[in-house]
Amino acid sequence: MDLDVLYEIDVPRPWPGSPPHGQRDAEQRAYREAVEQVRLADRMGFRTVWAVEHHFREGRSHCPAPEVLLGHLAALTERIRLGFGVTLTPFGFTPPQRIAEKVATVDVLSGGRVEWGTGRSTPMEQAAFGVDRERSREDWREAIGIVTGMWREEYFEYASERFRFPRRMVTPKPVQDPHREILRTIEILSKEVIPELARYVPRTAGA
């Protein structure tokens, strides 16, 4: 049986002391504890650690930059896989080229241990980033194809109604075949989207 762990970096209120000092102390402690727990999970044989991307979730989730946490963990662990659970992909959150760069960088630093999950988030987060909720599913779907294209092709260019990108080499390229883990990752996190993702995942032996 494979067991995973998921981290939101909860920092429950109330925070002691006057703001922002109590918040700072609580957040620093929460990150330190999470890192130590993941190092133990690596030694105990857990399969994957998932780090969320959430914004402005006071008390509940203080993990807005999973690529930073996972990059740090890449240097401190040996076997456990490193999961983006999930990257918020509608265009208003992060441009696809930045997603391609940061996910691939963690894959390189970890020697090919990344699993990449994607999602759209909630209205509270979408509104703060100017994401069009009515278009967010369409943007999410389109961004997945763009990111995997940037990993697959030496030079990539793209033009659509919603997104334009001039011909550029996007670096680095991930260690892994960029498609092999995507389907499994999304299958765990959101079964309703599997039919929509199938066209991005080539059927290869063992997949």
Side-chain angles (χ1 to χ4, degrees), residues 78-174:
E78 296 179 1
R79 292 174 297 276
I80 196 166
R81 296 186 64 79
L82 307 172
F84 287 79
V86 297
T87 299
L88 303 182
T89 54
F91 297 135
F93 284 114
T94 308
Q97 59 268 40
R98 288 293 296 122
I99 296 174
E101 291 169 339
K102 66 186 185 181
V103 174
T105 299
V106 178
D107 201 46
V108 170
L109 291 173
S110 67
R113 288 187 282 144
V114 159
E115 297 200 22
W116 180 49
T118 69
R120 296 186 295 146
S121 190
T122 62
M124 187 272 285
E125 290 177 302
Q126 291 170 345
F129 283 89
V131 171
D132 184 343
R133 179 162 178 76
E134 298 302 316
R135 301 290 296 270
S136 65
R137 179 175 291 275
E138 181 181 338
D139 288 352
W140 160 82
R141 185 190 303 116
E142 187 175 356
I144 293 170
I146 294 169
V147 170
T148 56
M150 290 173 170
W151 289 338
R152 184 178 58 249
E153 300 178 17
E154 182 179 17
Y155 290 90
F156 184 84
E157 61 182 327
Y158 188 87
S160 73
E161 176 189 351
R162 299 283 288 169
F163 184 78
R164 302 183 68 85
F165 184 76
R167 186 175 185 271
R168 297 287 188 273
M169 177 184 287
V170 179
T171 62
K173 304 301 185 189

Side-chain angles (χ1 to χ4, degrees), residues 21-39:
H21 304 290
Q23 178 183 348
R24 291 174 181 168
D25 292 342
E27 288 170 336
Q28 291 165 30
R29 182 172 59 253
Y31 270 94
R32 286 194 302 269
E33 291 175 353
V35 168
E36 288 306 309
Q37 291 166 13
V38 173
R39 295 180 71 181

Side-chain angles (χ1 to χ4, degrees), residues 11-63:
V11 187
R13 302 190 78 161
W15 302 317
S18 59
H21 304 290
Q23 178 183 348
R24 291 174 181 168
D25 292 342
E27 288 170 336
Q28 291 165 30
R29 182 172 59 253
Y31 270 94
R32 286 194 302 269
E33 291 175 353
V35 168
E36 288 306 309
Q37 291 166 13
V38 173
R39 295 180 71 181
L40 177 61
D42 181 47
R43 296 194 296 271
M44 297 295 292
F46 281 72
R47 183 186 187 278
T48 307
V49 53
W50 297 94
V52 306
E53 178 186 343
H54 274 313
H55 305 273
F56 323 120
R57 299 288 185 91
E58 59 180 84
R60 174 187 163 190
S61 178
H62 291 226
C63 187

